[in-house]
Amino acid sequence: MEYKVEAHRIMSISLGKIYNSRVQRGGIKLHKNLLVSLVLRSARQVYLSDYYAGVCLNAQHIEAKEWELMDADREKLIPASEAAQPSSADCGVSEAAQPGQTRTTGGAQLCLKRHVGAEDGRASRLQEKDGDSLDPSDVAVTSPVSPAISETQCGSSDCETDADAAVTEGDSRQPPKDHACSHRKRSAEETGVSETPVKRTKVTPNAIVANNEIEEGEEMDTSNVSNLITIFGSGFSGLLSKDSAKSESETDDSDSGSGQICCEQMLKNLNPWTTAIVAF
Amino acid sequence: FAGGGVGGGNDFQWCFSQVKGAIDEDVAEADIISTVEFNYSGELLATGDKGGRVVIFQREQESKNRPLSRGEYNVYSTFQSHEPEFDYLKSLEIEEKINKIRWLPQQNAAHFLLSTNDKTIKLWKISERDKRAEGYNLKDEDGRLRDPFRITTLRVPVLMPMDLMVEASPRRIFANAHTYHINSISVNSDHETYLSADDLRINLWHLEITDRSFNIVDIKPANMEELTEVITAAECHPHQCNVFVYSSSKGTIRLCDMRAAALCDRHSKFFEEPEDPSSRSFFSEIISSISDVKFSHSGRYMMTRDYLSVKVWDLNMENRPVETYQVHEYLRSKLCSLYENDCIFDKFECCWNGSDSAIMTGSYNNFFRMFDRNTRRDITLEASRENSKPRAMLKPRKVCTGGKRKKDEISVDSLDFNKKILHTAWHPKENVIAVAATNNLYIFQDKIN
């Protein structure tokens, strides 16, 4: 869905602005950063609006990577209810903002359960794809962060891969009507999306943040939080709990020790981290 | 309709008068004009720039000797108002950019103005010196001290005429009162006090007292994480010295009465237009943020500028503006790009003409817009060097929003978003306008003048 792509893009841009504001001459502009954080929050809400709509119970720890799978495979091999595999650490949310955070997890399942329900040659192909030999035409994976399954990355955009996948699968592809994850219905729009190739960006703070946000309701991976703190530098005064309006702490706050405070607060607030925080 | 015609009810024609500033395509950041303001009589026009300098222009007296230079503005005084500073405690650099200049009403031969950067407000006295004392006893004409033993007679120094010299001297420095960035200053109608506003607080000063000010508005929440809006502009009422307004980033305006309480955290009036839910987008909040608020000269109305529109409010009606003017509605579909390139954060100002019958504000591509409140006509004009022959009439411009582009129209995608007109000023009595286009100051007059 284009709006999710758009939302993710806006989130990335917003985070970049917040980050850059730290080095702007004249000090951090409170007004601008407040506005940016509001946009970030809106975009995030849109981005995640479908996340819980589907029954995607097997959300795992997600790291920044892209994971492209064919719907058909997931349909056949992994009914959502069954997908209870623990994380392959690779199933990261994509920079491409595929509505597939769940796809990714599904994908992870697919990879791990490649032997399951192999009605067609697909699964067997997947068997071969273990390790480093994934066929880009089938699966698009970029896993800059400790891939458990594969290090192969797809050369093309997600959409193209989808299209390829569709071609490859041919008739065996089934419309994802019965999939529990409602967002799967986007598959009908996938080929349409091919005009808007998703930008693959390397793992950046944006990605990490995006991942964190997607991890709503799950255990927070504090290593990602630490990364974020590092990126924003010291002076991270804490994170908002859900629904609080965002803001940045004032410039006259002391910077000392706030990185640590942030970590502690993060651990305390396992609530969704709904808005970006600006460190001052 | 063609040919001008906005600004005063009759068919005025706006003509180029002057342009000040470098022609060079390469614009030095320090030369970018950041504020423009006429004084109360319109005789003086002050500009501030990002380099912390103030340049004051004075209007030539119309004289029979030079009939063609009717009312031209020439440089009167230039001085460095603010310097960059470094706050060592917070490791922050404080920009020298002049955010606002406000003139004081003239009370004697000298002129006074307030200029402010992000943190410090200064009161400047601009005075003329056209006489010099000569014939001192203790020093000779060069200024060297005379040998006292050589002095045999006493004389009284006499005042001799000299070439006019305009001196600017800082008379007061109002510092250390703002934690956040100052966005507004406004001189009160009592001519004794003024207010200064930053993102979260508004302070009231006495012009004579620099070591303390009264905090009259404080919207800083106890927990900064709960911050939802900031103050974006503030202004004193032109006649009622107890009344002022401030606008917020949420698109609301609060009118406060200083008689009600020492701390005006509770407003007397609250102006807000309900949001149109159909136009909601990611950027709705940003574009509703008010970038400028100005009372009409009459004090009956006020005008606010948000990203896409200008609204006129009747102070007696809080629930919606009485007039809304679209400045560049064609940008609504481009908000995402404008967010990316930061243009969506541009803070446009707006101004009234002397009779409150017309309003003016800037746009992109060096366009600026005028709206006639009576006839409801509007016009788009361009400040450009191409159209800068003396007394050349300005041709109305038009942005093509879709479909076939007519000749002379410019399409939205061709607009130059680096050429933005944020600051404009209208002479308090005449149809003379000053338009700041990056590092150039354009002055336009109507033909009839």
Side-chain angles (χ1 to χ4, degrees):
Chain A
M1 298 174 219
E2 287 106 353
Y3 73 89
K4 278 198 182 285
V5 173
E6 184 72 357
H8 189 275
R9 195 167 79 90
I10 290 172
M11 279 162 52
S12 301
I13 293 168
S14 303
L15 289 165
K17 288 187 192 300
I18 292 174
Y19 184 57
N20 287 334
S21 75
R22 291 182 60 81
V23 299
Q24 265 171 7
R25 194 167 173 250
I28 297 166
K29 310 250 183 295
L30 182 62
H31 182 200
K32 181 177 175 185
N33 277 277
L34 177 64
L35 294 177
V36 170
S37 68
L38 292 174
V39 170
L40 181 61
R41 185 175 59 168
S42 300
R44 184 174 178 280
Q45 281 169 356
V46 166
Y47 184 58
L48 296 177
S49 60
D50 273 8
Y51 186 69
Y52 294 112
V55 180
C56 304
L57 305 172
N58 56 324
Q60 312 155 32
H61 172 64
I62 298 166
E63 295 185 19
K65 64 184 307 180
E66 286 185 18
W67 187 264
E68 190 64 287
L69 296 171
M70 266 135 337
D71 279 353
D73 299 326
R74 273 178 291 146
E75 308 290 11
K76 287 179 216 157
L77 303 177
I78 308 166
S81 53
E82 277 186 44
Q85 287 295 319
S87 79
S88 62
D90 297 324
C91 298
V93 80
S94 66
E95 285 297 283
Q98 296 296 333
Q101 285 69 24
T102 42
R103 314 193 82 200
T104 19
T105 60
Q109 310 319 307
L110 177 60
C111 293
L112 294 174
K113 291 171 134 189
R114 56 194 177 277
H115 55 283
V116 171
E119 290 115 345
D120 55 4
R122 180 103 193 101
S124 56
R125 272 206 296 279
L126 283 165
Q127 285 199 347
E128 297 157 16
K129 277 145 197 181
D130 203 16
D132 297 333
S133 58
L134 278 169
D135 178 353
S137 71
D138 288 334
V139 179
V141 172
T142 58
S143 55
V145 184
S146 58
I149 290 187
S150 157
E151 323 238 316
T152 310
Q153 52 73 47
C154 169
S156 58
S157 73
D158 300 335
C159 317
E160 290 164 27
T161 309
D162 269 344
D164 288 344
V167 168
T168 313
E169 279 306 281
D171 316 315
S172 56
R173 185 168 185 193
Q174 295 174 6
K177 292 194 190 64
D178 53 348
H179 202 283
C181 286
S182 59
H183 69 267
R184 291 299 189 83
K185 57 186 179 290
R186 92 174 187 64
S187 61
E189 307 149 28
E190 277 163 12
T191 44
V193 184
S194 56
E195 300 102 49
T196 57
V198 174
K199 227 171 30 170
R200 299 268 171 96
T201 59
K202 55 188 184 299
V203 178
T204 61
N206 302 341
I208 294 171
V209 170
N211 293 337
N212 279 339
E213 299 191 328
I214 278 119
E215 283 176 332
E216 263 188 30
E218 309 153 27
E219 271 190 321
M220 288 294 198
D221 176 22
T222 52
S223 68
N224 278 347
V225 174
S226 307
N227 288 340
L228 189 59
I229 294 167
T230 308
I231 285 146
F232 281 105
S234 63
F236 209 86
S237 73
L239 300 178
L240 275 189
S241 58
K242 182 177 173 178
D243 293 335
S244 299
K246 165 36 267 91
S247 178
E248 318 72 37
S249 52
E250 44 181 308
T251 52
D252 54 353
D253 274 348
S254 145
D255 280 351
S256 57
S258 32
Q260 189 54 35
I261 295 168
C262 170
C263 267
E264 290 158 7
Q265 288 187 341
M266 279 291 289
L267 290 169
K268 286 177 204 157
N269 288 335
L270 293 186
N271 273 337
W273 177 43
T274 51
T275 56
I277 310 310
V278 175
F280 274 72
Chain B
F1 79 114
V6 170
N10 298 332
D11 275 339
F12 288 109
Q13 316 266 19
W14 289 102
C15 304
F16 172 84
S17 175
Q18 298 169 273
V19 59
K20 312 279 189 194
I23 304 177
D24 202 4
E25 280 290 317
D26 229 353
V27 177
E29 170 118 4
D31 292 340
I32 295 175
I33 299 169
S34 50
T35 184
V36 183
E37 187 82 357
F38 281 99
N39 74 338
Y40 282 76
S41 65
E43 181 208 357
L44 297 178
L45 174 62
T47 62
D49 64 23
K50 279 194 169 185
R53 290 165 302 201
V54 172
V55 180
I56 301 177
F57 302 90
Q58 183 188 43
R59 201 174 193 192
E60 292 291 335
Q61 301 289 352
E62 305 209 8
S63 76
K64 295 190 176 48
N65 297 341
R66 302 176 59 214
L68 291 183
S69 72
R70 40 179 201 113
E72 272 189 358
Y73 284 85
N74 296 320
V75 176
Y76 180 65
S77 172
T78 303
F79 56 93
Q80 186 77 34
S81 171
H82 288 72
E83 299 270 7
E85 289 174 48
F86 199 81
D87 181 336
Y88 295 98
L89 199 61
K90 300 174 199 168
S91 289
L92 284 181
E93 188 178 10
I94 300 168
E95 275 191 283
E96 67 277 28
K97 171 169 79 93
I98 308 294
N99 292 336
K100 284 286 180 335
I101 289 174
R102 289 289 183 263
W103 290 93
L104 267 55
Q106 191 175 10
Q107 288 170 331
N108 53 37
H111 299 277
F112 289 85
L113 61 79
L114 289 169
S115 69
T116 185
N117 69 348
D118 284 339
K119 297 285 184 184
T120 303
I121 306 140
K122 296 188 183 181
L123 175 69
W124 287 89
K125 176 180 179 185
I126 296 105
S127 50
E128 294 181 5
R129 185 195 291 262
D130 62 356
K131 298 183 193 43
R132 180 179 55 216
E134 287 178 16
Y136 285 99
N137 290 291
L138 295 178
K139 57 182 179 175
D140 60 25
E141 297 311 316
D142 297 336
R144 282 178 303 193
L145 290 174
R146 291 169 76 192
D147 185 356
F149 295 108
R150 300 277 171 84
I151 301 170
T152 55
T153 60
L154 279 179
R155 55 188 177 169
V156 177
V158 291
L159 291 174
M160 301 296 291
M162 60 178 261
D163 288 339
L164 179 65
M165 196 167 74
V166 181
E167 300 172 319
S169 60
R171 305 302 288 180
R172 306 274 186 276
I173 297 183
F174 306 90
N176 302 322
H178 286 281
T179 306
Y180 301 93
H181 294 128
I182 297 174
N183 53 55
S184 308
I185 48 175
S186 180
V187 181
N188 208 345
S189 53
D190 61 9
H191 301 167
E192 284 188 353
T193 59
Y194 73 95
L195 63 75
S196 60
D198 66 28
D199 292 318
L200 297 179
R201 298 190 176 103
I202 301 180
N203 293 333
L204 183 71
W205 300 83
H206 192 284
L207 285 164
E208 298 289 332
I209 299 169
T210 60
D211 60 355
R212 60 181 175 276
S213 64
F214 292 100
N215 175 243
I216 53 177
V217 173
D218 188 340
I219 66 167
K220 179 168 177 246
N223 182 1
M224 273 297 275
E225 292 174 355
E226 289 160 7
L227 182 74
T228 56
E229 64 183 325
V230 297
I231 297 168
T232 53
E235 195 176 52
C236 292
H237 192 278
H239 309 307
Q240 298 169 30
C241 58
N242 52 297
V243 171
F244 66 94
V245 291
Y246 67 93
S247 60
S248 85
S249 54
K250 277 190 169 177
T252 64
I253 309 102
R254 289 170 176 80
L255 183 144
C256 299
D257 187 334
M258 289 190 268
R259 297 171 302 187
L263 187 62
C264 300
D265 275 355
R266 300 207 347 226
H267 51 262
S268 299
K269 296 197 187 199
F270 181 75
F271 298 84
E272 183 179 32
E273 182 173 32
E275 187 193 353
D276 174 12
S278 67
S279 63
R280 188 126 182 88
S281 77
F282 287 127
F283 309 105
S284 299
E285 278 145 331
I286 299 190
I287 63 170
S288 67
S289 176
I290 291 174
S291 52
D292 194 17
V293 63
K294 291 269 174 38
F295 278 106
S296 64
H297 291 90
S298 64
R300 165 89 192 269
Y301 300 95
M302 67 178 174
M303 163 169 59
T304 58
R305 175 73 155 97
D306 51 68
Y307 190 64
L308 296 179
S309 68
V310 182
K311 296 178 182 175
V312 175
W313 303 78
D314 185 325
L315 292 189
N316 296 319
M317 188 163 77
E318 298 170 53
N319 60 348
R320 61 177 172 81
V322 290
E323 295 153 32
T324 300
Y325 301 94
Q326 301 301 333
V327 181
H328 36 219
E329 181 69 14
Y330 47 79
L331 296 183
R332 192 180 286 273
S333 56
K334 311 266 179 214
L335 293 181
C336 193
S337 311
L338 295 165
Y339 179 69
E340 273 187 86
N341 64 15
D342 271 0
C343 283
I344 207 174
F345 301 104
D346 287 335
K347 296 191 183 168
F348 291 94
E349 293 174 5
C350 52
C351 60
W352 299 85
N353 72 340
S355 59
D356 298 335
S357 65
I359 58 183
M360 171 169 63
T361 189
S363 179
Y364 293 104
N365 209 68
N366 277 355
F367 287 172
F368 57 100
R369 303 260 285 140
M370 283 185 197
F371 304 93
D372 188 316
R373 296 178 63 214
N374 299 326
T375 64
R376 293 303 172 121
R377 291 195 297 195
D378 64 88
I379 188 172
T380 304
L381 300 171
E382 182 180 2
S384 99
R385 292 256 176 191
E386 286 162 9
N387 210 15
S388 57
K389 299 217 173 21
R391 289 175 301 287
M393 209 167 78
L394 294 184
K395 201 171 61 169
R397 309 286 296 168
K398 190 144 165 53
V399 176
C400 163
T401 53
K404 277 194 62 157
R405 186 177 76 86
K406 301 198 188 72
K407 187 170 95 88
D408 285 350
E409 286 186 357
I410 182 166
S411 74
V412 180
D413 298 314
S414 310
L415 295 174
D416 187 343
F417 289 94
N418 290 321
K419 293 188 181 168
K420 50 192 87 173
I421 292 182
L422 305 173
H423 312 287
T424 60
W426 206 312
H427 190 289
K429 298 183 173 62
E430 297 179 28
N431 280 329
V432 176
I433 56 176
V435 172
T438 317
N439 61 336
N440 286 340
L441 181 72
Y442 288 81
I443 299 173
F444 303 106
Q445 300 190 24
D446 81 82
K447 198 172 177 190
I448 294 181
N449 238 11

